[in-house]
């Protein structure tokens, strides 16, 4: 959320558009809020969080498949969302 341009450039080798910067910040805020809410949550709520993250990962896979420009950042985001889901589901 703090340096989305830097992270995007490191991940893709290109500079992000202003829309991509906004999207990165929004998704980062959602991840932070979700982590704070689930930090002390019970198992059922953590599993719901895992479902949210798996859904997000699926949408990123679809985006990566459908738009070559977004393939690498969407693939990275799908990996991260899947990792969060696995951690929440345990």
């Amino acid at each position: 959320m703090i340096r989305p341009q830097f992270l995007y450039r490191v991940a893709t080798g290109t500079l992000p558009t202003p829309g991509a910067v906004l999207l990165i910040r929004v998704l980062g805020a959602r991840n932070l809020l979700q982590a704070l809410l689930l930090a002390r949550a019970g198992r059922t709520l953590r599993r719901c969080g895992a479902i949210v993250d798996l859904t997000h990962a699926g949408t990123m896979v679809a985006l990566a498949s459908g738009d070559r420009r977004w393939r690498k950042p969407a693939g990275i985001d799908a990996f991260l969302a899947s990792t969060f889901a696995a951690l929440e589901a345990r």
Side-chain angles (χ1 to χ4, degrees):
M1 288 178 9
I2 296 170
R3 293 185 62 194
Q5 296 91 339
F6 173 75
L7 293 174
Y8 188 93
R9 189 169 33 98
V10 168
T12 67
T14 63
L15 293 174
T17 64
V21 170
L22 178 62
L23 182 63
I24 293 166
R25 285 193 168 130
V26 168
L27 290 175
R30 183 200 60 90
N31 283 331
L32 182 60
L33 179 61
Q34 184 176 342
L36 290 173
L37 291 173
L38 297 179
R40 297 191 182 262
R43 184 176 213 157
T44 302
L45 194 55
R46 283 195 318 269
R47 286 187 174 171
C48 290
I51 291 169
V52 168
D53 284 326
L54 285 175
T55 302
H56 177 70
T59 61
M60 292 297 98
V61 168
L63 178 60
S65 299
D67 190 337
R68 185 177 207 136
R69 295 171 300 151
W70 286 96
R71 186 162 291 153
K72 192 168 184 178
I76 292 168
D77 198 28
F79 171 78
L80 292 173
S82 298
T83 301
F84 292 153
L87 293 172
E88 289 165 354
R90 55 181 191 118

